[in-house]
DNA sequence: TCTGGGGTCCTAGGACCC
DNA sequence: TCTGGGGTCCTAGGACCC
């Protein structure tokens, strides 16, 4: 049995290119919310020196000089394309772990190399997306293999007992899955610079230095699997909705509208997942990059007496929290709402102590969801979200929702 | 002028209890 | 005046991932 890691190449950029062929001849980057940072790059954009996560304004000159296409992110499109990819993978085996929007681990019996090549061809045919596949005995090694598959002819690479030492020896330790910037620094300062050196580290030492995560990585690099494939996603524990504003917000009225909007959308998501929340947090923050004004950020948490999924009830809590955090004379740039302590929204947990009014409000939330699902987002809205929304996130270069909205289909001719 | 959003896990240390 | 030891639970902060 082998573990395969299928990872879509430059996923967001590739999704855009499927529907706009003109983008295939140009370097392309996709931007984070608010058109702030680069979150996906075509290979050609990578070669021009655009790094992951860089703020757009810092590479403005490279972008202009090379006619790089810059797109706002289009999550409706990427989410839908992801579902198609995952569906296609399940045609080959039910043993699929959806690891992220653009990656999945698969467990394959028999000729893994042959299966990988077939999966890759079919996926391209069915979705138009190029995928690379790494093959190995453990997840961490499959990640390493995938890294090499990105550059390999045919987009498939297998790490085996025979080649593993050579490969790990030439891989910088910071490229290993689970080794971030801090861990890399800690390892390098002790002379551990390659993945091979990390693999050869004493497990106890790795644990002391990098906690149990480090111990697991060492074991996995040695070929001992300690991160099994998870076929069912574990229950979600928290849910967040937060945004950076398109401009600063100074009035309590606007801040309340923003927090109200985030609450409404997080509550919708709560009900979609059949969950209820038992703790609600709100945070607000000024721009941390502005040096001439003092930075202010603060958060407040409210416990909910009985877990709830009612927008009305949640709005009461988050708006009160928002008011308690608000300080006049500040320029707010970001706010967010988090629901934690999520539990299944069974009738008992939610409604045992509800009065008639509570049940009516419950039905209001459900009715709003139903209407919006049927007739499109924001057909009906709560007044708390405001009407003008001058603070709204910028997304000036968003492509169309080609696959999820009838009004935005591709037109031919 | 312009700097994303949404998650999880682990640990240390304090509070509290017997 | 002397002043234990062990256990659990919770939280904040830090690390990681995409």
């Amino acid at each position: 049995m082998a573990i395969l890691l299928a990872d879509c190449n430059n996923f967001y950029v590739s999704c855009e290119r499927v529907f706009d062929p003109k983008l295939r001849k140009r370097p392309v980057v996709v931007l984070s919310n608010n058109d702030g940072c680069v979150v996906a790059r075509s290979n050609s954009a990578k070669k021009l020196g655009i790094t992951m996560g860089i703020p757009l304004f810092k590479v403005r000159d490279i972008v202009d000089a090379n006619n790089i296409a810059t797109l706002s992110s289009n999550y409706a499109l990427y989410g839908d394309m992801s579902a198609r990819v995952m569906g296609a993978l399940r045609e080959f085996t039910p043993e699929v772990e959806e690891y992220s929007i653009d990656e999945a681990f698969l467990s394959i019996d028999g000729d893994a190399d042959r299966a990988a090549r077939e999966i890759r061809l079919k996926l391209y045919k069915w979705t138009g997306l190029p995928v690379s596949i790494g093959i190995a005995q453990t997840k961490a090694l499959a990640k390493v293999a995938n890294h090499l598959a990105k550059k390999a002819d045919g987009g498939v690479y297998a790490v085996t007992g025979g080649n593993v030492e050579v490969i790990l020896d030439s891989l910088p330790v910071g490229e290993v899955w689970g080794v971030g910037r801090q861990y890399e620094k800690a390892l390098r300062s002790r002379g551990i610079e390659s993945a091979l050196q990390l693999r050869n580290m004493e497990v106890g030492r790795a644990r002391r230095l990098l906690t149990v995560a480090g111990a697991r990585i060492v074991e996995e690099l040695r070929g001992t699997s300690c991160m099994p494939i998870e076929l069912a996603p574990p229950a979600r524990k928290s849910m967040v909705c937060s945004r950076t504003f398109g401009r600063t917000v100074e009035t309590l009225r606007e801040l309340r509208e923003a927090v109200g909007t985030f609450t409404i959308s997080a509550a919708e998501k709560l009900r979609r997942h059949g969950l209820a929340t038992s703790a609600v947090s709100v945070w607000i923050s000024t721009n941390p990059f502005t040096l001439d004004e003092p930075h202010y950020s603060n958060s407040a948490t409210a416990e909910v007496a009985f877990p709830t999924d009612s927008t009305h009830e949640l709005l009461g809590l988050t708006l009160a929290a928002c008011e308690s955090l608000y300080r006049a004379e500040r320029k707010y740039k970001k706010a967010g709402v988090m629901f934690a302590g999520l539990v299944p929204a069974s009738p008992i947990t939610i409604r045992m102590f509800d009065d008639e009014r509570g049940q009516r409000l419950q039905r209001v939330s459900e009715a709003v969801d139903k209407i919006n699902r049927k007739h499109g987002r924001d057909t009906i809205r709560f007044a708390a979200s405001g009407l003008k929304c001058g603070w709204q996130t910028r997304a000036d270069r968003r492509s169309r929702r080609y696959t999820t909205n009838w009004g935005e289909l591709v037109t031919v001719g």
Side-chain angles (χ1 to χ4, degrees), chain A residues 313-341:
Chain A
E313 198 178 338
L314 291 165
L315 275 172
L317 294 165
T318 58
L319 294 180
C322 175
E323 276 181 42
S324 77
L325 296 170
Y326 177 80
R327 305 282 180 274
E329 317 288 313
R330 305 277 185 181
K331 294 175 178 159
Y332 298 97
K333 188 64 181 168
K334 189 174 173 171
V337 169
M338 177 162 85
F339 298 153

Side-chain angles (χ1 to χ4, degrees), chain A residues 35-271:
Chain A
D35 293 343
C37 297
V38 172
V39 293
R41 307 155 291 155
S42 64
N43 287 342
S44 46
K46 289 177 189 172
K47 278 191 198 126
L48 289 167
I50 310 279
T51 52
M52 183 66 178
I54 190 99
L56 179 61
F57 73 89
K58 289 192 180 171
V59 287
R60 190 81 253 178
D61 46 343
I62 306 180
V63 167
D64 292 342
N66 296 282
N67 189 30
I68 299 180
T70 56
L71 298 168
S72 305
S73 25
N74 183 344
Y75 294 108
L77 176 65
Y78 312 148
D80 184 63
M81 292 300 281
S82 174
R84 293 175 189 218
V85 168
M86 300 303 169
L89 290 174
R90 286 183 215 285
E91 298 279 318
F92 297 93
T93 169
E95 310 260 296
V96 176
E97 174 184 340
E98 292 187 24
Y99 176 67
S100 75
I101 192 165
D102 69 333
E103 281 174 80
F105 288 103
L106 288 74
S107 149
I108 295 279
D109 288 313
D111 189 342
D113 199 76
R114 189 174 155 183
R117 288 174 202 283
E118 189 189 340
I119 290 171
R120 202 171 156 274
L121 290 177
K122 291 259 169 78
L123 235 65
Y124 186 72
K125 195 169 161 194
W126 293 340
T127 66
L129 295 170
V131 175
S132 300
I133 301 181
I135 306 168
Q137 287 309 305
T138 67
K139 283 183 172 178
L141 286 173
K143 276 272 184 186
V144 172
N146 192 276
H147 192 76
L148 297 164
K150 296 273 178 208
K151 289 161 207 158
D153 278 345
V156 173
Y157 197 94
V159 167
T160 62
N163 62 15
V164 65
E165 297 220 352
V166 178
I167 288 164
L168 295 184
D169 191 33
S170 60
L171 189 71
V173 73
E175 301 281 339
V176 174
W177 190 39
V179 178
R181 280 238 292 285
Q182 300 306 314
Y183 285 1
E184 181 183 7
K185 208 191 293 173
L187 288 165
R188 282 186 182 275
S189 75
R190 288 162 177 79
I192 293 159
E193 316 222 333
S194 74
L196 184 64
Q197 285 176 294
L198 176 59
R199 188 202 75 163
N200 290 340
M201 211 174 158
E202 201 205 323
V203 176
R205 188 168 172 229
R207 175 181 282 113
R208 282 193 300 280
L209 194 59
L210 315 174
T211 80
V212 300
R216 276 196 209 117
I217 293 167
V218 170
E219 293 285 10
E220 284 249 328
L221 291 178
R222 291 178 184 176
T224 307
S225 175
C226 41
M227 301 187 231
I229 293 199
E230 317 250 2
L231 300 183
R236 189 190 275 274
K237 296 181 172 166
S238 67
M239 210 172 260
V240 169
C241 183
S242 76
R243 288 288 178 280
T244 298
F245 304 137
R247 59 161 166 78
T248 57
V249 159
E250 290 170 54
T251 64
L252 177 58
R253 185 184 61 80
E254 277 197 316
L255 197 63
R256 281 176 51 106
E257 279 180 13
V259 168
T261 302
F262 305 156
T263 306
I264 289 161
S265 110
E268 238 171 57
K269 194 165 158 193
L270 212 49
R271 294 190 293 270

Side-chain angles (χ1 to χ4, degrees), chain A residues 384-397:
Chain A
S385 63
L387 282 174
K388 282 201 243 95
C389 301
W391 46 269
Q392 227 165 20
T393 298
R394 276 193 297 271
D396 300 333
R397 288 157 288 215

